[in-house]
Amino acid sequence: NNAGCGIEGVIDINPVGSTFNEGNGGLYVTEWDSEKEIRMFYFPHDNIPDDLLNYHPNPDLWGKPYARFEISNSTTSNCSSDHFNNHNIIFDTTFCGDWAGSTFGDACTYSMSCNDFVKYNPQEFSETYWLINSVDIYH
C-alpha cells in the first residue's frame, strides 16, 4: 500500500501569491515526530509566535495546525512511519506537473492546457518567486 497521506489544509488567509507578498510573507513550520505525527503550521509575518522568534519552538502552544498527518503502523493506515525517512528540503515552483496538469481544465475556465497557459501568459506569474530569509532546523 503506497497510496500516501493526503490532506487538504485550511488557512484563513491566502499564504501564497500577491496577498502573501503584500503582507511581507510569513513563516511555514513543519514538525515531524517520527513516532506520532507530522504537523504543519503557517504564521503571517506579523503574527509569528515569540518562541519561534527566540529560537525555542514549542508547537504545542501554536494552536491547530493547518495540516496534520497521524503516523500509524496499523494495516489500515496510509501514513505508516516507513513513508517518512531521509527527507530533503527542496524549494520548488511547479506550475503544472502530473497532478496539477491533469486537473487544470476542471479547476480553470481557460480553453487551453496548463502547459500552454504557463507558456503564453507569463504576466500571470509576476508575483511567483521565492525570497527566503532563513531556514532553521531543530532536533
Side-chain angles (χ1 to χ4, degrees):
N1 180 3
N2 194 24
C5 309
I7 192 144
E8 291 184 24
V10 177
I11 301 176
D12 292 336
I13 63 159
N14 189 4
V16 297
S18 59
T19 303
F20 181 76
N21 297 345
E22 290 164 6
N24 293 317
L27 179 67
Y28 286 93
V29 179
T30 299
E31 177 197 27
W32 175 18
D33 179 334
S34 61
E35 301 297 320
K36 184 179 174 188
E37 64 191 352
I38 296 174
R39 296 190 293 177
M40 298 176 178
F41 299 86
Y42 168 75
F43 303 102
H45 179 76
D46 61 354
N47 196 27
I48 297 172
D50 288 336
D51 60 313
L52 282 169
L53 293 172
N54 294 319
Y55 303 100
H56 296 286
N58 186 350
D60 292 330
L61 300 177
W62 302 340
K64 186 177 180 179
Y66 78 83
R68 179 179 176 270
F69 303 94
E70 182 178 358
I71 296 174
S72 172
N73 288 321
S74 74
T75 57
T76 60
S77 174
N78 284 336
C79 285
S80 62
S81 60
D82 64 346
H83 279 74
F84 306 101
N85 54 53
N86 300 324
H87 283 142
N88 295 299
I89 297 173
I90 299 170
F91 295 94
D92 175 50
T93 303
T94 302
F95 294 113
C96 298
D98 291 340
W99 178 81
S102 66
T103 62
F104 182 80
D106 297 333
C108 300
T109 58
Y110 303 102
S111 61
M112 61 181 77
S113 70
C114 182
N115 288 339
D116 283 345
F117 181 78
V118 171
K119 182 177 180 179
Y120 297 116
N121 295 282
Q123 71 281 359
E124 295 294 328
F125 305 98
S126 63
E127 290 290 322
T128 305
Y129 59 89
W130 292 93
L131 178 60
I132 300 165
N133 291 331
S134 67
V135 175
D136 300 322
I137 299 173
Y138 302 91
H139 297 276

